[in-house]
């Protein structure tokens, strides 16, 4: 967010999540950003271990290059996760990951970690 002639500018950078781009990520991760980590909740329920590794990779990358920057986890495909039981299952997978990541914002209204 930049102030330019009394106008706030929001700059959005999408740094691709594919492995081919991993070598470039450190160029964009700084403490001056707020990071939105998007994940597919369906994948987290179907393949928790691989989804867990993917989330850990990104959380660690952000922690290494931008340790003070806030992080917001965004779970996609809520329309496909219809029950509260499934949302709690997603939360159960995510919660242990966040022990070492105090800059991740919590959804206190829904008592969820995403």
């Amino acid at each position: 967010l930049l102030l330019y002639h009394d106008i706030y500018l929001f700059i959005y950078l999408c740094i691709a999540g594919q492995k081919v781009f991993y070598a470039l990520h450190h160029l964009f991760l700084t403490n001056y950003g707020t990071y939105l980590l998007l994940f597919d909740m369906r994948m987290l329920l179907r393949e928790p271990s691989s989804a867990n590794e993917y989330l850990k990779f990104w959380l660690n990358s952000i922690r290494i290059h931008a340790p003070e920057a806030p992080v917001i986890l965004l779970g996609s495909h809520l329309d496909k996760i219809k029950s509260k039981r499934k949302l709690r299952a997603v939360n159960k997978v995510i919660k242990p990951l966040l022990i070492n990541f105090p800059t991740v914002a919590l959804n206190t209204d829904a008592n969820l970690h995403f």
Side-chain angles (χ1 to χ4, degrees), residues 82-98:
K82 299 191 187 250
S83 73
K84 287 187 178 185
R85 180 186 59 77
K86 286 184 179 180
L87 281 177
R88 285 193 299 272
V90 169
N91 195 58
K92 187 176 181 179
V93 173
I94 289 174
K95 188 175 179 178
L97 288 175
L98 303 180

Side-chain angles (χ1 to χ4, degrees), residues 52 55-56 59-60 63 73 91-106 113:
N52 225 347
L55 286 172
K56 274 198 270 188
L59 288 168
N60 282 323
R63 183 172 61 181
L73 297 179
N91 195 58
K92 187 176 181 179
V93 173
I94 289 174
K95 188 175 179 178
L97 288 175
L98 303 180
I99 292 169
N100 297 318
F101 300 97
T103 61
V104 174
L106 301 179
H113 291 82

